[in-house]
Every structure is written in C-alpha cells, then in structure tokens.
Amino acid sequence: MTEPRAALNLIGKPFRRVDGRAKVTGQTRFADDLTFPRMCFMRLHRSTVPHARIVEIHLEKAEKMPGVLGFLTGEDLPVSFGILPMSRDEHGLAVGKVRYVGDPVVAVAALTEEQAEAAARAVEIEYEPLATISSVEEALANPEPRIHEHGSGGNLHRKKSMIFGDLEQGFEEADVIFEDTLFYGGNTHLAMEQHASVAVPEDDERVTLYSSTQIPHYVHRALARVLELPASRVRVVACPNGGGFGGKSDIMNHEIVTAKMALVLGRPVKISLTREEVFYCHRGRHPMLMHLRTGFGKDGSLKAQHLKTALDGGAYSSYGVASTLYAGALQTATYELPRYRFDTLRAFTNKPPCGPKRGHGTPQPRFGYEVHLDKAAHALGIDPADLRLRNLAPAGLITANWLQLSSVGLGRCIEAVVEGSGWRRRYGKLPHGRGLGLACGAYICGVGLPLYRGEMPHSGVQLKLDRSGGVAVFCGQAEIGQGSDSVLAAIVAEVLGIELADIRLVVADTDLTPVEFGSYASRVTVMMGNAAYDGAQRARELIATAVAERFEVDSERLVFAESRVFDAEDPEKGLSFAAAVAIAETRFGTLGTTGSYRPPTPPGRFQGSGVGPSPTYSYSAAVIEVEVDPATGLFDVEHVWIAHDIGRCINPALVVGQVEGSVYMGLGEVMMEEQAFRRLPPRLSGALVHKTPSLLEYKSPTFRDVPPVTTYLIEEPDPAGPFGAKEVGQGPLLPIPPAAANAVFDAVGVRVDQVPIHPHMILRALEDKARGKEGRFGPAAFPDVDFPRNLIVPTPAEGGDGTALNDPRSQKQAGRQAAKEKPSAASAPV
C-alpha cells in the first residue's frame, strides 16, 4: 500500500513557500490512527471580494483544526485550463488574484466534510482590492485595471464584426426600416443535482475522477494537461447527472482540484458543492443587450438586417468565444435573410463566469428578433403568423452567413400552433388583459466542428456481440437526464432486431469507451446516433454474411426482427439472433464492430464560420396565451401551444418530455428567473455579490406557475439524422420568452423589451402610455462601440465561395481546403 503523502510537503515537516506575493506558512498533519487510505473530504475557501490581488494566505488556524489532512493553493496548480484552446484562462485555484466573489483560492482536505468545512472557514486571506467591473458599460468605460491580460483590449474579451452581402443595397431596397433595442437578463441552470466529484488515486501516478459532468472527454484532456500526466494515466467517469442544462458542460475548478488532492494525499477525495457554490460556478445565460435594424418590403419580405449584441461574460472566458458568435449565428436559419451584418462583443466583469445554458447564446437574440418581427408585423398591418410564413427559409438553403440547411419543418410548426390555439379567430380580439403571442426558433443538432482542431470522428461507438445473444455497446456519451442511454440502445436494437433488454450499455468512461465529445449542443441524438447506427449496421452485415452462407441465400434477403434472423421470402427459414451470432462467430471469430460519425464539411471558410454550422437544424413555433392584471402588472400564462420539428421520433415519450421541459425553463426565464447582483454597503466591503444564491430566493416556476401545454410533434425525417431524427433538448425553449412578451402586448397594448418581465415593468409601460408616451419598458440605447474592421463575406446569391474578401487567412484556408483530397470537417477556423 502506498503511504499517504502530505498535501504540500512531506508528512509532519514544516514548509514555507512564496507564490508571487502570497506567502504561506504552516504544517500539514495526518491523523495518527490512519492505517488505510479511506476517503476524505474536501472543501474550498472562496474569495469574499470581487477583484483583488492576493497578498497573503494564512493557514495557521486551519492547520490546527482536528481532522485536517492538507491544503492546496494556486501554486500547486500553475497550469491553466479552459474548454476552448484559445482561451485557457482558469486555474484550479486562484493564482495571484481573484476575479469574483466565489473564486476558489484554497482547498482543504479533512477526515470528515464538517471538519473540512470548518477548516476552510478558518483560512484567512489578505487582499489588495482592485476596481470592480460590474457591467458591459463599465467594462467599456474602464479598460483598467484589466481583469485578464488577454482579449480584445481593456476589459473586452472578444469583438467581432461580419458583413454578409451588400448590406447598404439591402436597406436601399427596403420600403421601411425598423429599429429596436432589447435586453435579456442572465439566469442559471438550476439543475436538481449539485456538482460533485470523487477522485481515486492509483499507483504510478494514475487517477480516476468520478464526476457529475456532461463532458468526460474534455475533462479528461484538461486533467492530463493541468496535472501534467500522460492522458493514459487519467480516467474520467461521468456519473448519470441529475440535470445539466449546460451547467456541467464546462471544466470545473473543483474537478481539477479534487484529482490533484487525491494524487497528493494518496487517498480518495470527495467534494460536493453546496447550492450556493453552484450559483458561483454558474456558466449560465449571458446577460445580453441587443440592437436590431431591419429593412422590410411593404409585403413584409425581409431585405437586410444589422444586429449588434453585447454580452456580459463574467470573470472568465469559458465558452465565451463561441457564445459571442452564437449571439448572431442562427439569425438566418429560420427566415430567409438575404443580407446580414453582425457586430458583437463580450466583456469581462467581476461576476461568476457565464457559459452555455440550454440554447447556448441563441435564446437572447431569438427573443430580440421575434419581438422585433412582432412589432414590424403590427406596423405593416400583417398578421404576425403570416409575416413569418412569408419569409420562411426553404429546405436546402445555404444562408447568407453560409449555414447549410437541410429539412425545414418550421412552416408546419407555425400552422400547427396557429390552428391549435385558434389564432386566426382569437388573436387581437380577446378581452382587455387577455392576449396571444407567437414566436419561432431554430437550433443546431450538434456542432459542425470540434472544440479543438482535428479530423478524427466526433463520436464513436463500439459493439461486442456475444454468442448468448447479448450485445454490449460502449460509448462515451453522458446521460444527463435527457434519455441518451435510451436512444443509444434503441438505435442498436432497431438495426439488429433485438429487444432493449438484450443490450448492455457501458457509457461515459474515458478508459473503457471510445471518444465521444459529450452531451452538449443537442448533438447526442444525431452524432452518437449516427455512430451507433454505423456500428450496428456493420455488425448486422457480418451476421447476415455468415447466415446467408449457411442458408445459401442472398444476404439482402435476410430480415432482422423479433430477435430472429430469417429469409424475407420464406420467414420459416430462420434462426434466433443468438444462433445467428454463433454462426457469425464461427465464421469470423470473436465479433466486435465500431461505428463513428464526423459531420460534413461546412461551406463557410471565413474567420468565425466555425460557430453555427450543424448537420441539420430543428425548428419550433409556439403560441402563448396570457392574462395580465392592468392594476398590478401581474400576469399568468394560461396555455402554451408548441410544435417542434423533430425529424423523426425515436422515443415519443422522451421527446414530449424534452419539449415540455424546455417550455417550463423558458417560462421561468421570461417570468422570474434572474442571476442578479448587488453591491454591499461600503462599511461592509463594497463587494459585488450574488443577490439570490439559494433556492429560497432565486425564483423558478412551481406547479402553480405551470400552465397546460399542448405539444405537436412535426415529423419530417431528415437525411442527416439516424432514422431521420433531429434534436429536441434545447430548441423548444427559444420561442417561449418572445411569445410570452408578444402575448403581453396583445393583452394590454404595451411592450416590455427585456427579460425577465416583472410586474413593475408592465405598470411603468402602462403609466407611460396613459401619459401619451410610448407604452414601452426596456433599454434606451446600445452603447457606442468601436467594432473592428468588418469581415466582408459575399453571400451564395452573390456568387461567394464562403471566404472573406478582406481576410488573407480566409483565402489561404480556402486554398488549403481545396487542395485536400478529403476535406476536413474541422478546417474552418473558430
């Protein structure tokens, strides 16, 4: 048995270290009665100030507390990490300075969780405060002190400007131009299960991490990098998640630190975050300010649009580069927009880092676009449903910003909810205080490019067939409650004609399963599903070949169904699946197959074209009915009609569950959920703190708030998906907030151009309208921003080739792409 080691030095020996300006003095101790490496517990001491340099860390009091085994600080984890290779700006523990209240600074391990918590609270840290950046506006106005030294200058993480087509010509062709400024507040995932990890060390510097994560593969890569170990010595097992919604699709500090502590102590280490800590981990919805300027023909046809977005990114990069681009990438996927300009920025602020939440980066601009369209429809005297139907993107379109669409079921979705809600006879005709609103959305079915460069498969599946008739399926996908295990088993069972009970799944284990990028971006059904279909089809071909030889028939005549393999022309000529496998094993030896999937090469080749492409897109439309009390501003959602273009249902019960789950989450965002912050009084600290970091105060819908939901599943099989299936986990959320906002307008005749919609906002708009002012509550203007030089990308209609005219890198990339015999799905830059 390996003797446990001290967290920072040899057992019992005092140590003294200097880490920049941080000085630590202390002694690590182990329990005298320790005879075997039983599991210990870890807690994190987090920053109590939003922005400061770390002057000194005092562990003296904590060291003397009972049960304490050891400590880690930023010095012990000097290698940075990040989900995107271009922005690795996080450390397991803060190095040199802290950037938000909740930033982890010291890790403490002890024999019990209570002892670890007490010791973490006893840690004392001296800080040198720095100015706090609390909003995009403050980040623009205060380039110093910088939260990070990288980015687009000052406290801006990313700025981008892209023009697709002759925008000015588009506006010249327009009969009318509308402009709107809107805001979407930040909110968090609120998964029922909190984050938790257990790390188990092994001999020879090996470690296994069991974690509540959506992305075991990316956590595995990050651990190998930060721990400076060969990847073959790190194992990550993603335990079934009690909800994720994107909150567990980033690499978390506690995962890194737990693995390090286990290696240093030589014993298993467990951490389970409190609900308050989950609010600090965040990675939720970016607060986003939007400005839209759109040109229309008199008939409602779209001519051109200029969208500007500003994202409050919080203290670290996370997925920020992608989030910034998703804030405008999918605007062209629902309606045919011939010319399009997109300006975007993401600012660093001293708040918990934002990242991907259900719909990653797209609910905010979708809210802006759909409310904007509703206003335009009223101004033009066109029914909002007809305006959308008039501008539908056709199937197979390559959009102005070079997204390749496949099947488009949006028209059928709109028709379904219009018919179901009685829209044609009820819209605009209900009693005052009652209203209907319509909105639509589109979402990706997986990303077209990996998070790191490479031409390898995005998803892999292995099958082991046993002569008993059982099939073991190995896949790296993570089950987060969305039913991916069910989909994986169902696809393999369908291809091989066997029962689900005959399939054994081994998933989300980086040592045992092939690489699968994870459960994010609604990628699992299409990408894992295609890989599973590929692997099962190969197994079927092996079995069919062997059985056909035995029966002396053509293998194409064989049918796999009801756990049998038989001749389609003579069904009595057949045998059990188990017997068929035995024949194939006799013919070929031990049976095992693999399947993989890599999406097609996207047509865009300009800088930024890596965000937005997908094998196909799902579509949703919703009508919401609300009742508003004009006296109080309180409103209730009375009914939701929602239609979703699913391609083809693999498991209808799971599909409906995902649609309705998106509805509930969307209602929470539009009605009440808000990641709000406030400054403490200067006499306390002046810190920028989370206003409601608990389930008591952070409001989300209860049974009382949830209305009846009528769901329509629009099946139009898509060639890009397994059996024609598309995503359903995220897309149905997108139309909910704008549909509710549009319904409030229909009910009381005022606009609330921001989310969440609070009662006082409706009252303020009603009061302004009564005074003869504009009946509106929302942001007044978009800040003046010096966006970088525009990338100018001709559209397909203009004869473009997917490259930017004024970007040499784009031209070189296109040349390399054309020279390849097998084009790379990962060649376009992000």
Side-chain angles (χ1 to χ4, degrees):
M1 182 181 68
T2 303
E3 183 179 19
R5 290 157 288 175
L8 298 176
N9 212 317
L10 298 177
I11 296 176
K13 291 187 178 180
F15 61 87
R16 182 177 180 83
R17 304 175 313 167
V18 178
D19 180 9
R21 299 181 61 188
K23 297 180 180 179
V24 186
T25 303
Q27 176 175 304
T28 56
R29 299 177 296 110
F30 286 88
D32 295 335
D33 62 347
L34 183 63
T35 57
F36 61 93
R38 59 193 174 98
M39 185 167 71
C40 64
F41 298 84
M42 189 179 79
R43 301 297 298 157
L44 299 174
H45 178 95
R46 296 177 180 272
S47 171
T48 56
V49 297
H51 197 197
R53 293 188 180 90
I54 300 171
V55 177
E56 193 159 1
I57 300 174
H58 297 282
L59 303 177
E60 295 87 351
K61 293 180 181 178
E63 288 176 325
K64 298 175 183 177
M65 301 187 75
V68 172
L69 300 177
F71 302 86
L72 293 173
T73 69
E75 177 186 320
D76 302 290
L77 293 159
V79 180
S80 64
F81 67 89
I83 189 69
L84 300 181
M86 70 284 292
S87 51
R88 294 186 178 116
D89 58 8
E90 295 192 62
H91 290 82
L93 299 165
V95 176
K97 75 173 184 177
V98 294
R99 295 173 171 87
Y100 69 98
V101 172
D103 216 353
V105 184
V106 178
V108 183
L111 293 175
T112 70
E113 192 168 21
E114 293 76 14
Q115 290 170 333
E117 176 68 21
R121 290 179 180 272
V123 171
E124 296 176 351
I125 302 176
E126 294 180 35
Y127 293 109
E128 178 187 317
L130 298 169
T132 302
I133 306 298
S134 65
S135 65
V136 170
E137 291 75 13
E138 287 188 10
L140 288 167
N142 299 281
E144 297 289 342
R146 297 188 71 178
I147 296 174
H148 290 283
E149 295 304 312
H150 69 89
S152 295
N155 283 304
L156 296 185
H157 174 207
R158 181 84 165 179
K159 285 198 297 184
K160 193 79 174 178
S161 180
M162 296 177 281
I163 297 178
F164 303 96
D166 191 337
L167 194 76
E168 293 308 314
Q169 180 183 342
F171 281 118
E172 288 175 8
E173 293 176 0
D175 296 310
V176 61
I177 297 172
F178 297 105
E179 295 193 53
D180 279 303
T181 304
L182 306 98
F183 177 74
Y184 201 109
N187 50 69
T188 199
H189 314 84
L190 219 65
M192 187 173 292
E193 180 199 31
Q194 295 143 220
H195 296 263
S197 297
V198 174
V200 180
E202 303 173 31
D203 291 338
D204 302 321
E205 293 295 305
R206 295 172 62 93
V207 65
T208 296
L209 179 75
Y210 300 88
S211 192
S212 178
T213 179
Q214 299 175 227
I215 51 165
H217 172 66
Y218 289 118
V219 172
H220 176 253
R221 287 173 60 90
L223 280 176
R225 171 184 166 84
V226 174
L227 300 177
E228 300 180 277
L229 291 174
S232 59
R233 298 183 186 177
V234 176
R235 178 188 180 197
V236 176
V237 179
C239 305
N241 289 197
F245 313 115
K248 298 168 184 174
S249 63
D250 207 342
I251 302 153
M252 296 296 179
N253 308 75
H254 65 272
E255 294 173 317
I256 302 291
V257 180
T258 304
K260 178 67 174 180
M261 187 70 86
L263 283 170
V264 172
L265 291 180
R267 60 194 296 163
V269 177
K270 176 182 179 179
I271 185 170
S272 181
L273 301 191
T274 66
R275 178 62 62 179
E276 182 176 357
E277 287 181 296
V278 175
F279 277 96
Y280 296 145
C281 286
H282 193 36
R283 318 298 161 131
R285 188 85 71 218
H286 285 75
M288 189 183 299
L289 183 66
M290 299 156 280
H291 181 82
L292 294 99
R293 181 172 184 259
T294 307
F296 293 84
K298 291 180 181 178
D299 62 353
S301 57
L302 289 162
K303 302 298 182 183
Q305 184 178 99
H306 182 186
L307 170 66
K308 293 189 285 187
T309 63
L311 291 72
D312 180 341
Y316 291 97
S317 294
S318 182
Y319 282 85
V321 172
S323 307
T324 308
L325 296 173
Y326 271 126
L330 300 190
Q331 292 293 90
T332 60
T334 44
Y335 314 113
E336 189 166 9
L337 186 59
R339 301 172 183 89
Y340 178 48
R341 175 173 175 174
F342 174 43
D343 297 335
T344 184
L345 69 88
R346 182 179 190 265
F348 287 124
T349 59
N350 295 118
K351 293 186 283 191
C354 296
K357 185 191 174 187
R358 203 173 199 164
H360 187 193
T362 63
Q364 304 98 311
R366 180 54 53 182
F367 170 79
Y369 198 1
E370 294 294 320
V371 172
H372 184 61
L373 287 176
D374 200 66
K375 293 183 181 183
H378 280 271
L380 292 167
I382 301 173
D383 186 293
D386 292 333
L387 180 72
R388 289 166 170 83
L389 289 168
R390 194 166 297 172
N391 287 287
L392 289 178
L397 175 72
I398 298 180
T399 67
N401 62 334
W402 292 90
L403 303 182
Q404 174 67 68
L405 306 186
S406 185
S407 65
V408 178
L410 181 56
R412 292 177 60 195
C413 289
I414 295 173
E415 291 164 358
V417 297
V418 164
E419 175 67 24
S421 65
W423 175 273
R424 299 291 185 188
R425 59 183 171 79
R426 301 175 66 222
Y427 178 68
K429 302 170 186 175
L430 296 175
H432 185 68
R434 198 91 172 189
L436 296 173
L438 169 69
C440 302
Y443 199 61
I444 57 176
C445 298
V447 293
L449 304 174
L451 297 185
Y452 57 89
R453 300 285 180 90
E455 300 183 19
M456 291 181 286
H458 292 209
S459 184
V461 170
Q462 290 178 321
L463 274 67
K464 180 186 76 67
L465 289 81
D466 189 83
R467 63 191 70 172
S468 67
V471 178
V473 183
F474 299 80
C475 180
Q477 61 83 19
E479 173 61 70
I480 61 171
Q482 85 282 41
S484 59
D485 284 356
S486 172
V487 171
L488 175 61
I491 289 174
V492 173
E494 180 70 19
V495 173
L496 297 179
I498 59 178
E499 299 293 326
L500 288 174
D502 294 321
I503 292 179
R504 178 78 64 183
L505 298 182
V506 180
V507 298
D509 185 325
T510 59
D511 260 16
L512 302 181
T513 61
V515 169
E516 218 282 341
F517 288 157
S519 295
Y520 65 96
S522 279
R523 60 182 302 283
V524 171
T525 293
V526 170
M527 296 196 174
M528 175 206 73
N530 276 322
Y533 183 90
D534 182 34
Q537 196 64 36
R538 292 180 182 182
R540 178 183 173 127
E541 290 170 2
L542 285 174
I543 296 169
T545 298
V547 173
E549 290 177 359
R550 177 69 62 90
F551 287 169
E552 298 181 343
V553 300
D554 193 307
S555 63
E556 294 183 0
R557 282 172 45 180
L558 295 179
V559 176
F560 286 65
E562 299 179 348
S563 298
R564 294 181 67 241
V565 180
F566 56 89
D567 185 351
E569 298 181 7
D570 182 8
E572 296 302 317
K573 181 186 289 187
L575 66 170
S576 69
F577 180 78
V581 170
I583 291 171
E585 188 174 346
T586 302
R587 170 72 170 78
F588 297 109
T590 301
L591 291 182
T593 62
T594 62
S596 60
Y597 177 75
R598 184 166 166 261
T601 303
R605 303 174 185 178
F606 52 90
Q607 292 289 322
S609 64
V611 170
S614 178
T616 187
Y617 300 83
S618 72
Y619 293 88
S620 304
V623 169
I624 290 180
E625 183 170 349
V626 301
E627 184 170 6
V628 182
D629 182 353
T632 64
L634 292 169
F635 72 98
D636 284 320
V637 174
E638 299 297 321
H639 202 109
V640 176
W641 295 266
I642 184 163
H644 183 69
D645 167 23
I646 185 63
R648 184 178 182 184
C649 282
I650 291 178
N651 185 322
L654 286 178
V655 169
V656 172
Q658 287 294 298
V659 171
E660 294 185 356
S662 286
V663 169
Y664 304 150
M665 186 168 281
L667 290 176
E669 295 192 11
V670 73
M671 297 178 72
M672 61 191 74
E673 293 195 35
E674 188 173 17
Q675 184 95 335
F677 295 82
R678 63 187 175 92
R679 289 188 186 275
L680 294 177
R683 63 183 174 79
L684 295 178
S685 71
L688 185 69
V689 298
H690 199 297
K691 207 172 179 180
T692 56
S694 78
L695 292 183
L696 264 181
E697 301 159 301
Y698 182 95
K699 302 303 181 185
S700 63
T702 65
F703 286 115
R704 183 221 172 271
D705 304 298
V706 175
V709 178
T710 301
T711 301
Y712 305 94
L713 301 181
I714 306 302
E715 292 199 87
E716 189 172 317
D718 191 294
F723 300 107
K726 293 185 181 182
E727 77 86 31
V728 68
Q730 304 188 58
L733 181 149
L734 272 63
I736 300 302
N742 292 337
V744 168
F745 172 77
D746 187 47
V748 292
V750 297
R751 295 283 181 184
V752 178
D753 288 343
Q754 67 182 65
V755 165
I757 299 174
H758 292 305
H760 76 273
M761 300 174 181
I762 296 175
L763 282 179
R764 179 76 62 80
L766 286 169
E767 291 167 0
D768 286 347
K769 184 179 181 182
R771 296 190 188 103
K773 299 179 180 179
E774 182 185 12
R776 175 186 179 271
F777 187 100
F782 194 91
D784 290 331
V785 177
D786 182 21
F787 283 103
R789 181 189 66 162
N790 312 112
L791 278 182
I792 300 172
V793 184
T795 67
E798 295 172 339
D801 62 359
T803 63
L805 296 178
N806 57 339
D807 183 9
R809 291 175 299 175
S810 179
Q811 299 292 334
K812 290 179 182 179
Q813 180 66 52
R816 289 195 297 268
Q817 181 85 1
K820 292 184 178 181
E821 291 184 2
K822 294 182 179 180
S824 166
S827 59
V830 174

